[in-house]
Amino acid sequence: MRSQTIKVRNLPQWEVQPRTVHVKPVLALMFMGVAGIALLFVPAFAGLGVILFIISIFSLLIMPDRILIQFTPDYLVLYNHRDAETCTIIYWDDIVNWQYEYHPSVDKLLINLVNGTSESIEMYSRRAVARYMNQYAPDKEIKSVRRKDS
């Protein structure tokens, strides 16, 4: 098994830019800011527009952001350690199965490895990771019983 915990500075150089999932939903916050500006031109909703715009600008500029997970064609990198200088590399062939679990406070992505260990990382959106996990680790998902498939 090649998967291991390493220092972030020792990550291999990427040939292709990895797909990255951040804590902060930048696209949604930008949309909220644009919607707030649009509401400024409607007199009845100008107050709501100001509030939306201020919240989105505050979130984009002041609130901290960090990388949760990165996907490359060879492996995925989990940045879920207390020490911000360490990360876990998990190679795709070391994954037995994975599952996205829903919890009231924060969701979790659980990854079971061939040596019997498991890695878990806090996530905030299934949509952000499921596409890449299904692309690089196909047919290894354990479906959650709490999720409705439509």
Side-chain angles (χ1 to χ4, degrees), residues 38-48:
L39 287 175
L40 289 175
F41 297 106
V42 180
F45 297 108
L48 179 63

Side-chain angles (χ1 to χ4, degrees), residues 87-106:
C87 63
T88 302
I89 290 183
I90 300 177
Y91 288 88
W92 297 114
D93 53 350
D94 290 342
I95 296 176
V96 174
N97 55 40
W98 65 274
Q99 180 178 17
Y100 191 90
E101 291 184 348
Y102 297 93
H103 296 282
S105 60
V106 67

